[in-house]
Amino acid sequence: MATTKKDLPDMMVSPETGEMLHRGVRPFVVTYKGKSLTVELPGYYPENGDDGVHVGDDMSVTDAALRTLKEEIEGVPSPATIRRVREKLKLSQREAGGLLRVGENAFDKYERGLVEPSGPTSQLLRLLDHHPELIEELRGNAA
């Protein structure tokens, strides 16, 4: 179960320094292959300085930024893009996994960001996004 902000206390003691840390956000730069995105990283921070303690889902914003950069630079579709294309094609996760022959549970894992699709699967998703009518050809081959 995901930890929400309301579940977290406003302050905590730093396990390293003993200093009081306050819940907040700080800008954090995520860099991949020379390209960068700045995100607002939640965590517990000292009054002065950026060294913080991150708990629960705090780091999910950096994971999302990295996926965005990988999509932009290498064409690896992000979980949001995968879901958008699947829904555009009016497929359930199981149907998509079967038609693309990646396994019935693959799209669940792709869309939760647990696994990245392979290069060929990424390319096929890009083609289906631009040419959704091709899904009928895949359906014909599956029958």
Side-chain angles (χ1 to χ4, degrees), residues 82-91 93 111:
I82 294 167
R83 173 168 293 187
R84 180 187 58 73
V85 171
R86 179 183 59 77
E87 289 175 348
K88 176 181 181 176
L89 299 170
K90 296 178 175 44
L91 297 172
Q93 289 178 335
E111 291 177 19

Side-chain angles (χ1 to χ4, degrees), residues 15-27:
E16 292 181 15
T17 66
E19 181 179 7
M20 189 57 66
L21 305 176
H22 301 273
R23 188 84 184 144
V25 296
R26 300 279 169 93

Side-chain angles (χ1 to χ4, degrees), residues 26-42 57-81 112-113 116:
R26 300 279 169 93
F28 183 83
V29 178
V30 178
T31 302
Y32 183 74
K33 293 193 174 180
K35 186 146 183 138
S36 299
L37 280 176
T38 301
V39 297
E40 292 293 315
L41 181 59
D57 294 331
D58 288 350
M59 298 303 292
S60 64
V61 296
T62 61
D63 294 343
L66 180 59
R67 287 189 188 101
T68 297
L69 290 169
K70 287 182 90 170
E71 183 169 38
E72 192 175 309
I73 294 166
E74 296 179 344
V76 177
S78 69
T81 296
R112 289 191 297 143
E116 289 181 351

Side-chain angles (χ1 to χ4, degrees), residues 12 16 22 31-32 38 45 48 63 66 73 89 94 99 108 113 115 120 123-124 134-135 137:
M12 74 176 286
E16 292 181 15
H22 301 273
T31 302
Y32 183 74
T38 301
Y45 296 98
N48 299 307
D63 294 343
L66 180 59
I73 294 166
L89 299 170
R94 280 191 166 319
L99 284 175
D108 173 59
V115 176
Q123 292 288 67
L124 184 52
L134 293 175
I135 197 67
E137 228 175 287

